Amino acid sequence: MEQLLQQIATYKQEIEKLANDGTEALEAYRIKFLGTKGIVKNLFTEMKNVAADKRKEFGLVLNDFKQLAESKYETWKQTLESNSSAAAASTIDVTLPGDPLPLGTRHPINLFLNHVISIFQRLGFSVAEGPEIEDDWHNFTALNLPEHHPARDMQDTFYIQQKPDVLLRTHTSNTQIRAMEQNPLPIRIICPGRVYRNETVSARSHCFFHQIEGLYIDENVSFADLKQTLYFFVQEMYGKDIKVRFRPSYFPFTEPSAEMDIQCQICGGEGCAVCKRTGWLEILGCGMVHPKVLENCKIDSNKYTGFAFGMGIERPALLKYGINDIRLFSENDVRFLRQFTSAI
Ligand code: 2NL
């Protein structure tokens, strides 16, 4: 027994001196002390050689030693593990693929506008943008809509209460007025943008929506130029075989004025609910710029003429994408928005 106790004391010293070296040293330690043929196991088999009256005392010492050997193993192992995770955290593996960045999609209104713009750009039109908060002159008066003109009532306008001269534009014509006031002639511009009307929001109409207007001012611009330009546009937009018609109309800012229809895209001209059984869909309004509008922008109406046109975006976009509620365009629901790709 004395001999065994002496041995245990030596082993204890040996264990206490051990540094927590690498995994190989740890495994060697485990085999030596805790393995199936290890020191702890051997000491337990020595138990039978101890005198019966000393066995209990020896058992206590041995158990104590076993616990020491085991806890040394656990702390050693934990030290190695925490060292290796710290090492991993401080090492950046540049060969790993990066975290994916969420990528958005273009808004369907934006896709539609860009497509219209690209067609007119090929004809030499450039894009002009203007303010959505506008004064009375650029939105109404310069467009031959004097103060008490009934057309102003037709367009239910959002006025700024404290400043009745300031309003949310009801069309993008304001941008064309500004272009005529500021730019040298000739002018050939296309004006996309958001406009506002004080209307009840429903599946069919909204209090804000998008328009694209065009303007071409030069010497000798004729109604024939207007017709051919717009005819080219719808052929590019809806295909070479598209059938169109021009109907006379009225706008205060153009004279003469017309509206352009295309053959209904849904029924092919047979007549359906979408075209109200007419076989035709109205897609834009147009006309020769009224001489008064030219003079309001200090352009000599005896020397220069021009044509203008305007179209809404939401209605044809609803048709194109087969959507039945205009409000989806402004709700920012990504489940809706994700369905549109850059291909129009
Ligand atoms: C429609 C009709 C139109 C214009 C817009 C315009 C602009 C200037 C001068 C003359 Cl600065 N005209 N724009 C002309 C005719 C029709 O829009 O139904 N839009 C949705």
Side-chain angles (χ1 to χ4, degrees), residues 143 173 176-177 180 211 213 251 253-254 285-286 289 293 308-312:
L143 284 152
S173 313
Q176 293 164 300
I177 296 293
M180 286 192 280
Q211 266 195 346
E213 285 196 42
F251 302 108
F253 27 87
T254 47
C286 57
V289 179
V293 175
F309 57 89
M311 71 186 108

Side-chain angles (χ1 to χ4, degrees), residues 119-191:
I119 294 169
F120 282 102
Q121 278 176 333
R122 281 190 275 144
L123 291 173
F125 286 76
S126 50
V127 174
E129 288 185 295
E132 290 180 16
I133 301 168
E134 190 51 283
D135 55 47
D136 184 275
W137 169 259
H138 292 97
N139 194 79
F140 288 131
T141 311
L143 284 152
N144 199 29
L145 287 149
E147 215 172 311
H148 296 292
H149 195 285
R152 291 195 183 203
D153 304 329
M154 270 162 53
Q155 332 207 352
D156 290 349
T157 310
F158 285 118
Y159 286 95
I160 307 297
Q161 269 175 3
Q162 287 82 357
K163 276 186 158 188
D165 186 47
V166 183
L167 48 89
L168 297 181
R169 68 177 177 189
T170 58
H171 40 219
T172 51
S173 313
N174 68 325
T175 308
Q176 293 164 300
I177 296 293
R178 287 174 179 276
M180 286 192 280
E181 286 175 339
Q182 286 159 23
N183 296 341
L185 298 171
I187 290 173
R188 198 154 41 189
I189 52 169
I190 194 102
C191 304

